[in-house]
Amino acid sequence: MNYSNQHTDMSVFENLESSVRSYSRSFPTIFERAKGHELWDVNGNSYIDFFAGAGALNYGHNHPDMQERLIEYIQSDGLLHSLDMATGPRAEFLQTFHDVILEPRGMDYKVMFPGPTGTNTVESALKIARKVTGREKVVTFTNAFHGMTIGALSVTGNAFKRHGAGIPLTYSMAMPYDDYMDGFDSLNYLERMIEDDGSGIDLPAAVILETVQGEGGINAASFEWLKKVEELCQRHGIFLIIDDVQAGCGRTGTFFSFEKAGISPDVICLSKSISGSGLPMAITLIKPDYDQWGPGEHNGTFRGNNLAFVTASEALKYWKSEEFSISIQKKSDIFQKRLHEFVESYPELEGEVRGRGLMLGIASEKPGLSGQIAEKAFAGGLIVETSGPDDEVLKFLPPLIIDEEAITKGLNIIEDSIKAVLGKEEAKV
């Protein structure tokens, strides 16, 4: 069945909403409900979700246990809004996060609630690094994406998004990410620039990075490279900030994306799936010695989202054992095997498989090809997006709870879409 043949009236969005809207253009239908790994539109069409709210729905849509906890809390007249006043859900989350996530990993961090979004946690991380070190510059990397507010945007690489600021974005310096240039050691270059008094670069306050660059094209840094970054930061007294907004909360197979690298960041940024349910929430983890804020020095009206705290505590139950992490890796193996088959079977893709865990992609050197495949896949009942500076990567972010049958069905739609776009045969969807 080709869903594109069914007309959905999108005029209210076209006529009344700002032109800044994007996903309603990519997926031109009106969605009505969702459950697990599946969505339905107002016409009754079902869609497999390989998008998961851009990584905000790692545990799927409308998780039944989270739903039940929310309904109970709302019906009890629990506080919905509370700034950073003490509440039961806030206490439960803090204790559960300590007991289930931090303590078993031997991690000692203070938990900060900076505001409800990823860019909020990045802003707070940049501020605390500058406050503690007394320095201004922050090292970022090519193809980085850290958010849309001015501070976060200043350490973002995408030219289109940077230009939207309308002002100079200063106090940051971009360095090559791992494997950005073949045969070039980006960290030797960075260290030489830092150590050389003639380089024109001041000692930075922090280095900020994503272990897997989501919006930048599913570029995965090696664990060895990450370890070397940590060593460089430690030698020079530079804060290491890991932006785990998209790659964290299990997306790469472990709760934190950097666990297998064996590093200990000074600051960790989490958002997207930290609430478990898609409700707005973010936290910034700060090593205790660096938690030097004055009360209210960084605040926000919506840093007390109790509904998000309720579902976040429920979501952490997935991490009480290694079972969930093992299941993610098994699903990743299924995904990666099939993606490599696509690249080998269809050389016209000029494709490259990228990523880690269930944060994967196929990069194509052919301009516009990934977008065409995504569009065809949507017509066949699959939601998938693109990423990279030129949207050259077909990006896969399925809910971590997706079953193998849905993975196979979704990947079949991808293969049929590849065939149709390459002119091999008409898609069977």
Side-chain angles (χ1 to χ4, degrees):
M1 181 177 186
N2 193 319
Y3 295 177
S4 62
N5 291 334
Q6 298 188 22
H7 176 70
T8 300
D9 184 4
M10 302 291 287
S11 61
V12 66
F13 308 102
E14 295 163 1
N15 295 336
L16 302 180
E17 191 175 354
S18 165
S19 60
V20 78
R21 68 192 187 283
S22 63
Y23 291 121
S24 58
R25 299 175 191 268
S26 301
F27 312 123
T29 192
I30 299 174
F31 294 101
E32 187 171 46
R33 60 189 180 93
K35 194 73 174 177
H37 62 261
E38 199 167 7
L39 299 90
W40 290 266
D41 68 13
V42 292
N43 297 314
N45 299 314
S46 65
Y47 299 83
I48 295 173
D49 190 357
F50 275 13
F51 176 54
L57 293 163
N58 284 3
Y59 309 97
H61 298 266
N62 289 309
H63 190 285
D65 295 337
M66 296 181 204
Q67 264 191 341
E68 184 178 350
R69 289 286 307 275
L70 279 178
I71 292 169
E72 289 175 354
Y73 186 72
I74 292 169
Q75 289 184 334
S76 72
D77 291 330
L79 278 77
L80 301 186
H81 178 268
S82 59
L83 296 165
D84 68 350
M85 292 184 286
T87 65
R90 189 186 202 90
E92 182 187 10
F93 171 76
L94 285 167
Q95 192 64 57
T96 305
F97 191 78
H98 173 269
D99 295 347
V100 175
I101 302 300
L102 296 181
E103 190 172 52
R105 292 165 176 77
M107 299 171 71
D108 186 15
Y109 289 87
K110 292 290 188 177
V111 179
M112 174 186 181
F113 299 105
T117 70
T119 200
N120 291 139
T121 179
V122 169
E123 293 285 354
S124 67
L126 298 177
K127 286 171 69 173
I128 197 62
R130 287 167 170 148
K131 176 181 173 67
V132 173
T133 64
R135 302 190 294 268
E136 299 172 339
K137 292 292 180 63
V138 174
V139 172
T140 183
F141 292 95
T142 49
N143 290 317
F145 179 79
H146 296 291
M148 298 298 289
T149 49
I150 296 300
L153 203 54
S154 74
V155 290
T156 288
N158 186 284
F160 174 69
K161 291 181 171 60
R162 286 176 63 88
H163 289 162
I167 60 171
L169 297 171
T170 56
Y171 301 109
S172 65
M173 47 190 174
M175 292 288 170
Y177 193 71
D178 191 20
D179 279 341
Y180 179 73
M181 300 167 65
D182 292 338
F184 178 80
D185 191 324
S186 58
L187 295 185
N188 281 347
Y189 173 66
L190 173 58
E191 185 158 29
R192 180 64 186 274
M193 296 295 283
I194 289 173
E195 291 181 340
D196 187 350
D197 290 339
S199 69
I201 289 180
D202 299 326
L203 184 66
V207 168
I208 186 170
L209 63 87
E210 307 150 273
T211 65
V212 182
Q213 295 181 323
E215 302 309 306
I218 314 298
N219 308 304
S222 70
F223 297 141
E224 294 78 14
W225 188 84
L226 293 170
K227 190 65 178 175
K228 288 179 181 178
V229 172
E230 180 188 52
E231 291 168 354
L232 186 154
C233 289
Q234 290 176 344
R235 281 198 302 273
H236 297 281
I238 301 167
F239 265 50
L240 175 58
I241 302 169
I242 296 295
D243 179 347
D244 239 8
V245 168
Q246 189 165 117
C249 299
R251 177 52 57 183
T252 65
T254 53
F255 185 84
F256 296 106
S257 69
F258 53 81
E259 289 182 42
K260 291 183 179 179
I263 63 175
S264 179
D266 299 298
V267 181
I268 304 165
C269 301
L270 291 170
S271 185
K272 287 194 182 285
S273 278
I274 189 62
S275 78
S277 58
L279 290 170
M281 179 178 171
I283 61 175
T284 308
L285 304 181
I286 306 169
K287 286 188 173 178
D289 288 348
Y290 303 138
D291 182 36
Q292 298 177 19
W293 297 110
E297 189 174 3
H298 183 100
N299 59 24
T301 302
F302 297 105
R303 65 195 185 279
N305 187 347
N306 288 286
L307 292 180
F309 295 156
V310 167
T311 57
S313 296
E314 186 68 33
L316 292 177
K317 291 180 180 179
Y318 275 96
W319 299 98
K320 288 186 174 181
S321 73
E322 294 186 1
E323 184 178 347
F324 189 51
S325 185
I326 292 169
S327 74
I328 295 168
Q329 190 54 56
K330 287 181 178 177
K331 294 170 187 177
S332 176
D333 292 342
I334 295 170
F335 244 101
Q336 292 194 57
K337 181 177 183 292
R338 192 77 182 276
L339 297 185
H340 281 288
E341 289 175 357
F342 292 164
V343 169
E344 293 169 6
S345 300
Y346 306 102
E348 302 93 329
L349 282 174
E350 299 178 23
E352 174 194 13
V353 178
R354 296 179 180 175
R356 184 175 292 132
L358 285 176
M359 188 173 184
L360 300 167
I362 297 178
S364 173
E365 296 183 3
K366 288 194 169 183
L369 186 66
S370 295
Q372 293 173 41
I373 295 170
E375 183 177 358
K376 185 66 70 172
F378 177 70
L382 180 73
I383 297 174
V384 64
E385 70 165 337
T386 59
S387 73
D390 299 308
D391 288 323
E392 74 276 14
V393 180
L394 193 63
K395 178 181 178 183
F396 305 102
L397 294 177
L400 305 182
I401 50 83
I402 193 171
D403 59 41
E404 293 182 12
E405 180 181 354
I407 291 173
T408 299
K409 185 176 178 181
L411 289 172
N412 287 344
I413 294 173
I414 290 292
E415 183 166 18
D416 287 339
S417 300
I418 290 171
K419 289 178 181 179
V421 170
L422 294 178
K424 292 288 185 179
E425 60 181 69
E426 283 299 313
K428 299 172 185 175
V429 291

